[in-house]
Amino acid sequence: MLTLVFIGTLIAVLLTATGGRTVQAATDPGYDWDDGTLQGWSLDWGDAAPVNSTTAARSGDRSLALPVDGDEYPGFQSPAKPAGLGVGSVVTYHVYAPRNARTLAVQPYVTDDAFLEHFGAKVDLKPGEWTTVTWTVPSVPNLHHLGIEVDSASWSGRVYLDDVQWTAPTELPPIVTTGPVREVRSTTAVVTGTVDPRGLATTCHFDYGTSKRYSAATPDVAATADVSAKLTGLKAGTAYHYRLNCQNSGGRLTGADATFTTATKATDPRGPLFEAQNLIYGSHIGAWDMDGGTAISNATASANVTAAKIRVIKWQMWKPPCELRPTDCQTEAQFNAAIDGIRRLGAEPLVGLPPIWDQQCATAPDPWSLAWQQWIIRTAGSRVKLYELGNEPDHYCNMTGQRYHDELWVNAPVLKAYARTLGHQIFIGGPGWSNSDTADLAELKVWLAATKADYLAHAQDRDWLPDYISTHTYLVTPTENDTQAHAQARIDAWGTFYDGLQAYVSTTFAGLTDEGYPIADELKLVDSEWNDTIELTWQGNEDQAWTDFYVHAMFTMLRSHNVWLSNQSTIASHTGQALDLLQTDGTPKPEYNSYKAESTTDPRNN
């Protein structure tokens, strides 16, 4: 006679997902408590913890005893993230109720990443018997614990749990739907779609191009429902194909092909500078360098700036010109050395107009003036096209968005008109706001609403509107740069800020055009200063692995959220300390290496 004994029978099921891979579901070893321990199980809620017991066993000689006291409903949970448990797993529990038990029931559950319980159906227990409880894990984000609740009307004692097993997740691929396009302009469009991730971590991107070969793609983002992305750098008057493309552990699927055609206006009326795609790779000369400092005067530093393909460099005057005040001033020679030096490096100068720090506020020792601003524009001449009106006016001069408009921005149209009398055209943005948070977005909205009112009140004179909108993004030491996770969370929040700013611009300036070109497209987003700290003595960015992460994360965020121009702060103005890309002798620091790796491999930075 041949006897076969099966313990822990293995069940395997093959599933083939359309567009995905073949996946396998199988039982996990589970829990049987025959080793005499709790195997990581604990009390989730209630009064008494579970214990290992030999009183009852379905297989082997031990089980987990679950104490029940009267009218309570205790819950007992497994260790965090049991191996192989996931959405679609079929879980089997075996529960024994003593012969004297009365009115007992159990409910299986799992907890999610917020530690909320998701319950299965309640099952009554039969006294003196092992009851099999089977349920399928529902679609729950990021499963943490497997558990079971015991419900008792009045009985006190112990019930016993044994042979808990489950199948592997079914790992179904996402359900993907390509959605409509919106905000179609001459060089940009927003594409949309939806995805059902089937309970699994899912990432999505959009494929797009001028044919179904889809020559380009947006960055992958985590997705749970609605998905959208802004396409930039498109050709005017051109038909494009696009589709949503998503993947999880069950496979990859794409939505149906869809098409749109961009508007026919081919160029920005302000010229090719505003069609540029590479000005995101900028930096900054600051910290008291009246003549441009090391970045310009040191041959090694200059060579490194050029090698990194830095496309725009921000600089500003720290003292009034000697023509306006003969002592404690900045000479025309120093001014010219900085402007000409920046141009020799192959970069576009971006010049800050005062006030740029607290000594230049209205009642400070070096108060800004229209005459000072005009001197800069007159002296720079055709060498400088880009200006930023003010620098952190909220921080240095305690300005609100309305005060910035009333005291500073009203000079912008005057300065643009003044430049034309000199025979050239300039472009002015602002306000160089010190932070990029929700409160800052509110102040920017006040300023932008006021500029729109100016524009309409002055017969739609484009001079009253900014050419770009600028803010700053610095990580706070140590709470935001102590770990990559903290830094990434802050960088993601800046991306959300820029999305909110762009949405406000699109809504507020909808329908307004400049020579047939939508003004909402003309209002570029700029991060005019960014770095991973503001503390000069911080040592964290001496770590190459850290700066590689940080710089890549920043450029990814800036590209993904349609920031047109950005300036790392600074090149070599802080004696090689934390903010600088270069040492005092002009040689690279880790952050420079990380920056160069991004700037020289991006095909848009040509």
Side-chain angles (χ1 to χ4, degrees):
M1 180 177 180
L2 180 63
T3 302
L4 298 180
V5 178
F6 295 92
I7 300 176
T9 304
L10 182 68
I11 304 171
V13 181
L14 293 180
L15 303 172
T16 302
T18 304
R21 61 180 176 83
T22 300
V23 296
Q24 180 171 324
T27 55
D28 186 273
Y31 302 97
D32 59 13
W33 296 280
D34 286 336
D35 63 0
T37 73
L38 298 182
Q39 296 183 357
W41 280 65
S42 61
L43 182 70
D44 199 356
W45 64 85
D47 289 333
V51 296
N52 191 282
S53 174
T54 58
T55 301
R58 180 176 175 274
S59 65
D61 57 4
R62 291 178 178 273
S63 63
L64 189 68
L66 311 178
V68 181
D69 185 13
D71 295 328
E72 294 191 348
Y73 301 85
F76 304 89
Q77 65 179 8
S78 72
K81 299 184 180 298
L85 180 69
V87 175
S89 292
V90 178
V91 184
T92 303
Y93 304 73
H94 297 93
V95 187
Y96 180 82
R99 294 182 182 277
N100 64 345
R102 301 189 308 275
T103 321
L104 284 176
V106 293
Q107 266 188 289
Y109 68 88
V110 289
T111 60
D112 61 19
D113 56 355
F115 298 99
L116 298 176
E117 292 82 23
H118 301 260
F119 287 92
K122 185 178 294 187
V123 178
D124 293 327
L125 301 182
K126 296 181 180 180
E129 296 183 16
W130 284 94
T131 300
T132 299
V133 178
T134 301
W135 79 306
T136 301
V137 176
S139 180
V140 174
N142 197 6
L143 296 179
H144 273 256
H145 296 283
L146 176 66
I148 191 166
E149 179 186 86
V150 183
D151 298 346
S152 170
S154 59
W155 181 82
S156 297
R158 291 179 174 181
V159 297
Y160 301 88
L161 181 64
D162 202 359
D163 292 339
V164 178
Q165 295 178 324
W166 55 88
T167 62
T170 51
E171 300 186 356
L172 297 175
I175 299 173
V176 182
T177 304
T178 303
V181 67
R182 54 184 173 84
E183 298 178 35
V184 179
R185 308 273 169 74
S186 58
T187 60
T188 65
V190 176
V191 289
T192 70
T194 59
V195 59
D196 176 356
R198 309 292 282 268
L200 301 175
T202 300
T203 58
C204 294
H205 67 261
F206 288 91
D207 302 316
Y208 67 100
T210 55
S211 71
K212 289 185 178 181
R213 296 179 65 181
Y214 307 109
S215 58
T218 62
D220 278 310
V221 295
T224 57
D226 295 331
V227 190
S228 65
K230 187 167 187 175
L231 309 183
T232 61
L234 305 178
K235 295 180 180 179
T238 303
Y240 281 88
H241 293 256
Y242 71 98
R243 66 182 181 185
L244 183 58
N245 187 326
C246 300
Q247 181 178 25
N248 61 20
S249 58
R252 178 183 295 277
L253 285 179
T254 58
D257 176 76
T259 62
F260 66 90
T261 301
T262 53
T264 57
K265 186 67 178 180
T267 59
D268 190 310
R270 296 169 297 177
L273 178 65
F274 288 90
E275 298 286 352
Q277 296 292 305
N278 57 5
L279 295 183
I280 198 169
Y281 294 105
S283 194
H284 183 205
I285 298 170
W288 326 116
D289 283 337
M290 294 188 183
D291 59 358
T294 299
I296 290 170
S297 60
N298 180 288
T300 301
S302 297
N304 281 324
V305 171
T306 303
K309 300 173 71 172
I310 294 175
R311 296 308 187 191
V312 61
I313 293 178
K314 179 181 174 181
W315 177 82
Q316 59 275 309
M317 290 186 72
W318 292 98
K319 292 289 183 179
C322 294
E323 289 185 21
L324 299 181
R325 188 179 71 184
T327 60
D328 191 24
C329 57
Q330 193 156 338
T331 68
E332 185 174 338
Q334 289 172 321
F335 181 93
N336 286 330
I339 300 302
D340 290 338
I342 290 170
R343 292 176 63 85
R344 283 197 305 272
L345 294 173
E348 186 80 28
L350 169 59
V351 174
L353 295 170
I356 64 164
W357 68 309
D358 53 9
Q359 297 299 294
Q360 297 173 4
C361 296
T363 59
D366 298 329
W368 70 274
S369 67
L370 178 61
W372 185 355
Q373 294 167 343
Q374 288 177 324
W375 183 93
I376 293 174
I377 291 168
R378 181 174 65 252
T379 306
S382 61
R383 295 175 297 172
V384 177
K385 298 183 179 70
L386 294 175
Y387 291 89
E388 185 172 36
L389 186 53
N391 173 64
E392 300 192 356
D394 54 324
H395 173 66
Y396 290 117
C397 301
N398 298 312
M399 289 187 180
T400 62
Q402 189 66 52
R403 275 192 60 201
Y404 174 76
H405 169 269
D406 297 345
E407 297 179 26
L408 272 180
W409 190 255
V410 290
N411 279 1
V414 177
L415 294 171
K416 290 182 180 182
Y418 176 68
R420 286 195 293 272
T421 68
L422 302 174
H424 59 272
Q425 183 179 17
I426 64 173
F427 307 101
I428 302 178
W433 217 246
S434 61
N435 291 297
S436 302
D437 299 319
T438 302
D440 305 297
L441 180 58
E443 294 297 335
L444 294 175
K445 288 179 177 179
V446 170
W447 165 58
L448 288 168
T451 68
K452 178 184 177 182
D454 292 335
Y455 168 76
L456 296 175
H458 291 83
Q460 298 191 1
D461 182 350
R462 180 65 179 80
D463 285 354
W464 287 90
L465 297 179
D467 291 293
Y468 61 85
I469 306 159
S470 58
T471 63
H472 296 169
T473 56
Y474 287 92
L475 292 180
V476 175
T477 301
T479 56
E480 293 176 356
N481 59 9
D482 55 341
T483 67
Q484 290 188 10
H486 287 165
Q488 187 65 63
R490 190 71 180 105
I491 292 169
D492 290 344
W494 290 330
T496 300
F497 166 87
Y498 285 125
D499 286 347
L501 179 56
Q502 184 64 68
Y504 179 79
V505 167
S506 296
T507 300
T508 303
F509 295 91
L512 301 178
T513 60
D514 174 24
E515 299 181 29
Y517 193 91
I519 283 176
D521 274 4
E522 294 185 13
L523 303 186
K524 305 289 190 179
L525 306 185
V526 169
D527 187 346
S528 55
E529 290 184 25
W530 59 265
N531 210 315
D532 57 357
T533 185
I534 198 65
E535 304 291 339
L536 291 180
T537 59
W538 186 63
Q539 296 299 306
N541 61 12
E542 298 298 327
D543 179 351
Q544 189 68 66
W546 162 263
T547 61
D548 285 348
F549 151 76
Y550 164 69
V551 172
H552 178 71
M554 278 298 297
F555 278 122
T556 298
M557 182 275 292
L558 294 167
R559 282 290 185 203
S560 299
H561 298 278
N562 201 33
V563 176
W564 168 65
L565 181 154
S566 77
N567 293 298
Q568 182 277 345
S569 180
T570 58
I571 296 174
S573 300
H574 293 90
T575 62
Q577 296 183 80
L579 273 69
D580 284 348
L581 292 175
L582 303 174
Q583 303 285 4
T584 53
D585 62 359
T587 56
K589 295 178 61 182
E591 192 168 356
Y592 171 87
N593 297 331
S594 304
Y595 184 108
K596 183 180 178 183
E598 296 289 329
S599 64
T600 58
T601 57
D602 187 339
R604 290 165 290 195
N605 190 21
N606 49 38

